[in-house]
């Protein structure tokens, strides 16, 4: 019997980072992990309620609230530096969220308003927590809150429609490069998932015009500009797929692809979020990520349903628009399939 050789030295020589072996043994069943997580949140809520009742009068002072919040965040940071169970991780996450809420309350009291400066502080806080906290779940929450803080900062400065394209481009870059840094892969995945979830929340919030008009500045960035910027991200994603798979496209196929992208951006100018859903769906398909593909489908359905229930257009106008868009995309799909068959035939003859 031939003894097996250890492949790890050769993998290290090839520049492939290896995760250290875990000594914790087999993981617990998922239902026990869920029960531990629920127990952690319940314990945190009861303990915070007990402490909150004792410091209720003192918390009216912004300085006391800030110090207590910073202490909770600092304690969460220290505990997350050590190996922890699911129960402890959920408990620490709850305390960290409570600390962030207290810090936000203190900053709001000092500024005496919820304005752009407040959201800058929240953006800095959550960005630092997303980088420093040694917990993938905490990193998802911190990245989500950082993206939402950036959105409300955009509302205050009159540029809310620029936030989603920026967050989408950053999420796309993280998802496409998660394997480039193996030692930081889990952190990159968590940050990318937080940005992806934030995109869905922003897509929901942006449907309320009264929210966008509540800022100090007038909205000066038109929504169609954000859609075309998102379309640019989709174009880059298509270029990345073609380059990675080393596919040679004919000029006719490239022209059909550009026409489909332009049609998608034009249609998304009416139904907000179509390009975002298309990017998430295509990105999930490109990297074989089922959850991301599902989120892209949810974004597409939400965009179409939101447009269909707009009150400033008649039902006939919306139905006609959706019918025309459907026919255009079906025609583009048929053209792309025909170009793809011609390309396969040319490759076979070559």
């Amino acid at each position: 019997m031939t003894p097996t050789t250890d492949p790890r030295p050769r993998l290290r020589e090839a520049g492939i980072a290896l995760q250290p072996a875990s000594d914790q043994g087999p993981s617990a069943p998922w239902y026990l992990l869920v029960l531990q997580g629920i127990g952690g949140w319940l314990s945190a809520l009861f303990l915070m309620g007990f402490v909150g009742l004792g410091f209720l009068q003192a918390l009216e002072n912004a300085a006391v609230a800030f110090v207590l919040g910073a202490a909770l965040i600092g304690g969460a940071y220290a505990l997350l530096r050590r190996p922890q169970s699911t129960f402890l991780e959920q408990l620490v996450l709850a305390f960290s969220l409570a600390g962030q809420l207290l810090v936000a309350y203190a900053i709001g009291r000092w500024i005496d308003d919820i304005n752009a400066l407040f959201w800058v502080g929240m953006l800095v806080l959550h960005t630092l927590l997303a980088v420093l906290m040694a917990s993938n779940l905490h990193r998802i929450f911190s990245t989500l809150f950082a993206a939402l803080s950036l959105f409300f900062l955009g509302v205050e400065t009159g540029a809310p429609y620029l936030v989603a394209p920026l967050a989408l481009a950053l999420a796309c870059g993280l998802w496409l490069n998660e394997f480039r840094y193996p030692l930081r892969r889990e952190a990159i995945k968590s940050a990318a998932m937080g940005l992806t979830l934030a995109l869905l929340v922003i897509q929901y919030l942006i449907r309320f015009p009264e929210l966008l008009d509540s800022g100090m500045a007038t909205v000066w960035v038109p929504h169609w500009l954000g859609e075309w910027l998102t379309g640019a991200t989709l174009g880059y994603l298509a270029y990345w797929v073609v380059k990675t798979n080393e596919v040679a496209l004919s000029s006719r196929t490239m022209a059909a692809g550009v026409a489909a992208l332009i049609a998608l951006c034009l249609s998304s100018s009416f139904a907000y979020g179509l390009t975002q859903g298309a990017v998430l769906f295509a990105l999930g398909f490109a990297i074989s990520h089922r959850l991301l593909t599902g989120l892209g489908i949810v974004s597409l359905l939400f965009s179409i349903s939101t447009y269909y229930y707009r009150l400033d257009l008649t039902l006939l106008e919306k139905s006609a628009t959706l019918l025309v868009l459907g026919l255009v995309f079906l025609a583009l799909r048929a053209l792309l399939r025909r170009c793809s068959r011609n390309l396969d035939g040319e490759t076979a003859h070559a």
Side-chain angles (χ1 to χ4, degrees):
M1 185 174 181
T2 304
T4 59
T5 59
D6 188 1
R8 288 176 292 182
R10 306 176 84 182
L11 293 175
R12 292 192 184 97
E13 292 177 2
I16 300 176
L18 300 177
Q19 294 288 347
S22 177
D23 298 329
Q24 297 178 356
S27 58
W30 65 268
Y31 48 85
L32 291 182
L33 297 178
V34 171
L35 291 177
Q36 290 178 10
I38 295 175
W41 277 93
L42 289 176
S43 301
L45 291 176
F46 281 118
L47 186 57
M48 285 187 295
F50 176 77
V51 174
L53 290 176
F55 291 91
L56 189 60
Q57 298 296 328
L59 290 179
E60 295 181 0
N61 189 333
V64 175
F66 182 85
V67 171
L68 183 57
L72 288 174
I73 296 175
Y77 172 80
L79 290 174
L80 289 176
R81 301 299 296 179
R82 306 173 181 177
Q84 66 276 334
S85 62
T86 303
F87 173 83
L88 183 59
E89 184 179 13
Q90 299 295 328
L91 180 67
V92 171
L93 175 62
F95 274 108
S96 178
L97 294 177
Q100 296 171 42
L101 183 61
L102 289 173
V103 171
Y105 167 77
I107 294 176
R109 287 286 300 269
W110 284 332
I111 299 177
D112 199 23
D113 193 10
I114 305 297
N115 52 21
L117 185 59
F118 172 82
W119 293 116
V120 168
M122 293 295 98
L123 176 61
V124 172
L125 172 65
H126 294 304
T127 302
L128 289 175
L129 293 178
V131 174
L132 298 177
M133 287 295 184
S135 169
N136 293 325
L137 182 61
H138 195 293
R139 189 171 287 110
I140 291 175
F141 276 92
S142 298
T143 309
L144 169 64
F145 294 149
L148 293 180
S149 300
L150 182 61
F151 170 73
F152 286 110
L153 177 60
V155 171
E156 293 293 335
T157 56
Y161 294 108
L162 291 181
V163 177
L166 177 61
L168 182 61
L170 183 57
C172 185
L174 292 175
W175 282 118
L176 294 179
N177 293 280
E178 62 171 312
F179 292 101
R180 180 168 295 183
Y181 308 98
L183 296 179
R184 302 291 300 171
R185 179 172 175 246
E186 293 300 323
I188 293 174
K189 285 178 58 179
S190 300
M193 182 56 68
L195 287 172
T196 304
L197 295 177
L199 287 170
L200 298 180
V201 178
I202 292 174
Q203 185 178 0
Y204 174 78
L205 294 176
I206 215 163
R207 64 183 292 192
F208 299 103
E210 60 274 11
L211 175 63
L212 303 182
D213 295 335
S214 62
M216 300 297 294
T218 305
V219 178
W220 56 275
V221 178
H223 74 279
W224 57 264
L225 179 59
E227 298 301 317
W228 284 91
L229 292 176
T230 306
T233 302
L234 181 58
Y236 171 77
L237 177 60
Y239 167 77
W240 181 88
V241 171
V242 172
K243 182 180 178 181
T244 303
N245 295 276
E246 298 180 353
V247 179
L249 297 180
S250 63
S251 58
R252 181 182 297 180
T253 304
M254 294 179 62
V258 172
L261 180 60
I262 293 175
L264 180 63
C265 293
L266 288 174
S267 60
S268 192
S269 299
F270 298 95
Y272 175 82
L274 281 178
T275 50
Q276 173 180 300
V279 172
L280 294 178
F281 178 81
L283 180 60
F285 184 79
I287 63 176
S288 300
H289 198 293
R290 294 183 178 180
L291 178 58
L292 188 57
T293 304
L295 293 177
I297 295 175
V298 171
S299 179
L300 285 171
L301 293 177
F302 182 76
S303 175
I304 296 173
S305 62
T306 301
Y307 171 75
Y308 192 77
Y309 287 102
R310 281 177 55 181
L311 299 179
D312 56 337
L313 297 174
T314 64
L315 186 61
L316 181 61
E317 292 174 338
K318 291 181 286 190
S319 301
T321 303
L322 293 176
L323 176 62
V324 172
L325 290 177
L327 294 176
V328 169
F329 284 116
L330 286 175
L332 288 172
R333 178 180 180 273
L335 179 60
L336 287 173
R337 287 175 61 88
R338 182 178 179 181
C339 294
S340 177
R341 285 196 297 267
N342 293 337
L343 179 61
D344 294 338
E346 294 175 0
T347 305
H349 287 299

